[in-house]
Amino acid sequence: MRIQPFGDSALLVTFENIISEEVNQKVISLFHVLEKSDGFNSLIPAFNSLTIGVNKTIWSLTEATSFVQDIINNQQLLSYNGDQTSYVIPACYDKEFGPDLDEVSTQSGLSLDEVIQLHTSHTYRVYMLGFVAGFAYMGSLPEKLWCNRKQTPRVRVPKGSIGLAGRQTGIYPTDAPGGWQLIGQTPLEMFNPDRLKMSLLKPGDLVRFRAVEKDEFKIIKLKIETGIFEMETIDE
Amino acid sequence: MSDNLKLILNKAGFHTSIQDEGRFGVQDLGIPIGGALDKEAMQTANMLVGNSPNTPVLEITMIGPKISFQGKGQIAITGADMTPELNGQHTDSYKTVNINSGDELVFHNAKTGCRAYISIGGEWETTKWLESYSSSSILDNHSQLKDGDSLSVKSNLPIDVKEYPLSKRPIYSYCYIIRVVTGPEFELFDLPQIEDFFNKIFTVGNESNRMGYRLNGELVNYSPKREEISSGIVTGTVQITSAGNPIILLADAQTTGGYPRIANVVTEDLSIVAQMKPGDELKFMLISQEDL
């Protein structure tokens, strides 16, 4: 673990230099503790690090560093789990929505059905949000689905697209440029600035995909538009 | 007697947006902080019209807007010199300007600097999102102002005209020294690259905007040592792309990134970076945290 100044108004806490649930849990626990303090004005939890914007009208970087160090030393505080939710995300793996299904199938040596079966058979952890508002980096993919990014990124990936890159899977919350291999699309609104809970997912949440046909995809979209859709969660 | 001042942007200019201090506390969702790039110019402009320092302002870039006014109020212009004219006559920057109904304010191309700021004395009547008025590409049609857009401000009682001392005003150049502290991945770079980073004169690339400044000039013999695990970004982070080009990340940058972070621009110098335009030259100067 290392705490270092990050510029002149922020700190960076880096735990072990690996991507693992255990390391990410430390990041998220620390995030939840610091969230309650007035001394910080921005917090960015990532895979194995937490970026901490320090409110310098309240204290100095040195003072903030010892405050953060004390929390990390206090194991009890860091065992705090936040409110982790497990979601089921409907996904339509039609070629219209997943233009890279064939490429993924070739790269992995799996049939289309096997790709879908494998993608829906795992529970993924939301490690972090980044890139654009509400974009969740989820992992880790079963090894057979690890794949390279597109040689040439797309200028515009449609909102809701589900992609693969390396060991990660992610959902584009909005139309955005991107180089992930697209295998499907969700009808859910992953991010909506007008909603009280803007981002559907938060770091630490768990996600499982459920394959839906085009008809169900359209019905869910209608339900969302009319405000009668109910999010499916899994009780632990 | 208080009045409403309405601004109509007959021409919006190259890139005009509403900016304040930015929005904090939502970066865990991937929402950039945003806010005025040249905070010093924003705060000075607000002071000149009697506003609190972080009241929203118009940030105008490279080519300024044409604005007509309805109602009475006070404004001030700071930052880049875009030769502003009020009703066809030159009008001073860094000074309180009284506005009357029918007045027309026209800006031209930036002669020096890159961004000018217009403050308006009073309370803005535009939408606030997450405690900030700053434009955001996340909101539909809210990333920048368009031709024909209008804004309304509930004017304060007029204050005595103030002028900002000449000696305190910035002088813009075409060549800058930007102070940085070491970044999180500084130690991942070898000495030849580090020396090159501090010896080279970089030029601001054409693809520079509120998200970041791409600099022309590659670090000598650079190849990334390892794939970085994505991690947070703060305004002023200087990252090195796989091709060896530095990018200075600014207020609208994404919240996380995967390139190694070699250095961070000190907060005070971010106002200078904001005034650099494509083609301008810069050199980085390393200072220690203790020097701050």
Side-chain angles (χ1 to χ4, degrees):
Chain A
M1 198 281 307
R2 184 177 182 196
I3 305 183
Q4 61 192 129
F6 188 6
D8 57 15
S9 325
L11 300 174
L12 179 67
V13 178
T14 315
F15 294 95
E16 295 93 304
N17 197 36
I18 49 165
I19 297 178
S20 81
E21 288 190 18
E22 199 197 336
V23 170
N24 186 240
Q25 192 51 51
K26 290 184 197 169
V27 173
I28 290 165
S29 304
L30 182 60
F31 162 65
H32 284 304
V33 177
L34 299 187
E35 218 180 9
K36 295 185 183 72
S37 163
D38 290 336
F40 308 108
N41 48 28
S42 71
L43 295 166
I44 311 171
F47 290 103
N48 66 334
S49 68
L50 182 68
T51 298
I52 303 167
V54 175
N55 185 343
K56 288 182 82 181
T57 59
I58 294 187
W59 51 5
S60 70
L61 281 194
T62 319
E63 289 163 335
T65 303
S66 43
F67 178 84
V68 173
Q69 184 71 63
D70 284 349
I71 289 167
I72 294 171
N73 293 344
N74 183 337
Q75 293 298 325
Q76 221 177 352
L77 272 177
L78 269 202
S79 63
Y80 177 75
N81 216 332
D83 49 333
Q84 184 181 51
T85 318
S86 302
Y87 292 103
V88 179
I89 296 199
C92 182
Y93 297 91
D94 189 276
K95 277 191 189 172
E96 183 194 326
F97 295 139
D100 299 324
L101 275 169
D102 285 330
E103 196 175 328
V104 170
S105 160
T106 314
Q107 269 196 41
S108 63
L110 300 169
S111 71
L112 288 188
D113 283 347
E114 285 169 330
V115 168
I116 297 164
Q117 202 277 327
L118 211 52
H119 193 249
T120 51
S121 67
H122 274 65
T123 301
Y124 305 103
R125 176 189 181 83
V126 177
Y127 279 96
M128 57 179 267
L129 302 180
F131 168 52
V132 290
F135 186 101
Y137 289 79
M138 296 174 279
S140 291
L141 284 169
E143 199 172 336
K144 282 191 167 168
L145 285 180
W146 295 0
C147 58
N148 299 324
R149 283 161 204 249
K150 302 287 289 178
Q151 285 274 332
T152 315
R154 289 185 169 86
V155 178
R156 181 185 157 272
V157 172
K159 171 179 172 176
S161 294
I162 298 164
L164 310 178
R167 300 174 187 203
Q168 310 293 320
T169 183
I171 307 170
Y172 287 82
T174 177
D175 290 355
W180 292 35
Q181 305 279 0
L182 307 182
I183 60 163
Q185 205 180 101
T186 180
L188 301 189
E189 281 215 288
M190 302 310 292
F191 187 88
N192 181 344
D194 299 326
R195 202 163 58 193
L196 187 63
K197 191 176 179 226
M198 289 183 287
S199 176
L200 188 64
L201 301 174
K202 64 180 183 308
D205 281 346
L206 297 176
V207 165
R208 233 181 139 89
F209 291 96
R210 179 169 70 80
V212 298
E213 297 299 326
K214 260 182 158 173
D215 283 357
E216 194 183 347
F217 179 94
K218 285 179 188 160
I219 289 170
I220 295 173
K221 262 206 142 140
L222 276 175
K223 281 185 175 172
I224 292 170
E225 277 160 26
T226 49
I228 57 165
F229 177 75
E230 273 178 47
M231 192 64 207
E232 206 180 323
T233 54
I234 314 167
D235 292 322
E236 293 299 306
Chain B
M1 196 186 83
S2 119
D3 216 328
N4 257 43
L5 185 64
K6 192 178 172 193
L7 286 75
I8 301 144
L9 276 80
N10 301 320
K11 279 265 181 334
F14 175 66
H15 191 283
T16 300
S17 61
I18 301 170
Q19 299 296 343
D20 54 18
E21 207 184 356
R23 43 182 68 82
F24 296 95
V26 286
Q27 282 61 55
D28 53 304
L29 302 179
I31 300 171
I33 291 176
L37 290 192
D38 185 345
K39 298 253 166 34
E40 203 182 301
M42 168 185 81
Q43 289 169 354
T44 307
N46 274 322
M47 185 271 287
L48 289 168
V49 293
N51 284 346
S52 66
N54 296 318
T55 306
V57 290
L58 285 180
E59 180 181 275
I60 69 183
T61 317
M62 296 296 285
I63 305 166
K66 288 190 166 107
I67 304 171
S68 52
F69 295 93
Q70 286 170 11
K72 276 181 119 165
Q74 289 180 316
I75 66 160
I77 302 161
T78 59
D81 180 8
M82 299 193 195
T83 46
E85 285 172 9
L86 188 65
N87 304 323
Q89 299 289 311
H90 167 83
T91 184
D92 285 335
S93 292
Y94 286 92
K95 191 179 172 182
T96 321
V97 179
N98 292 314
I99 296 292
N100 293 302
S101 220
D103 279 353
E104 215 175 56
L105 181 64
V106 175
F107 292 85
H108 301 278
N109 294 6
K111 259 169 58 189
T112 60
C114 181
R115 293 181 168 83
Y117 292 82
I118 309 169
S119 63
I120 305 146
E123 208 176 305
W124 286 54
E125 295 178 328
T126 52
T127 340
K128 220 175 176 181
W129 180 54
L130 300 172
E131 304 300 310
S132 168
Y133 293 94
S134 283
S135 298
S136 168
S137 60
I138 296 167
L139 305 173
D140 292 335
N141 301 318
H142 195 50
S143 55
Q144 67 185 81
L145 296 165
K146 300 180 301 296
D147 292 354
D149 279 354
S150 62
L151 302 160
S152 187
V153 173
K154 196 163 171 258
S155 297
N156 285 340
L157 288 173
I159 59 161
D160 289 341
V161 168
K162 286 193 224 181
E163 199 167 353
Y164 196 61
L166 259 173
S167 60
K168 284 184 164 182
R169 298 180 198 176
I171 296 165
Y172 302 122
S173 153
Y174 303 95
C175 189
Y176 295 90
I177 289 175
I178 301 297
R179 292 172 300 165
V180 297
V181 291
T182 56
E185 278 78 47
F186 181 79
E187 287 155 34
L188 275 186
F189 293 85
D190 291 326
L191 188 62
Q193 281 85 47
I194 291 175
E195 283 180 340
D196 202 29
F197 182 75
F198 291 109
N199 287 333
K200 229 187 196 98
I201 294 173
F202 295 98
T203 33
V204 176
N206 287 326
E207 284 165 48
S208 295
N209 53 38
R210 288 187 38 89
M211 292 177 74
Y213 274 28
R214 288 174 177 272
L215 305 184
N216 296 329
E218 287 105 55
L219 296 189
V220 62
N221 296 327
Y222 175 72
S223 65
K225 282 219 178 103
R226 60 175 200 205
E227 189 155 337
E228 292 302 317
I229 299 174
S230 286
S231 178
I233 281 165
V234 296
T235 308
T237 299
V238 184
Q239 59 179 19
I240 302 293
T241 66
S242 306
N245 294 99
I247 298 179
I248 307 175
L249 294 161
L250 299 175
D252 282 353
Q254 55 188 69
T255 52
T256 57
Y259 290 125
R261 300 158 290 187
I262 191 169
N264 275 82
V265 176
V266 304
T267 303
E268 234 178 279
D269 286 6
L270 285 171
S271 287
I272 302 171
V273 172
Q275 296 297 350
M276 297 194 308
K277 49 186 178 300
D280 284 358
E281 295 178 330
L282 79 146
K283 236 182 127 169
F284 292 108
M285 182 172 96
L286 184 63
I287 63 165
S288 76
Q289 289 280 348
E290 286 72 43
D291 292 337
L292 289 164

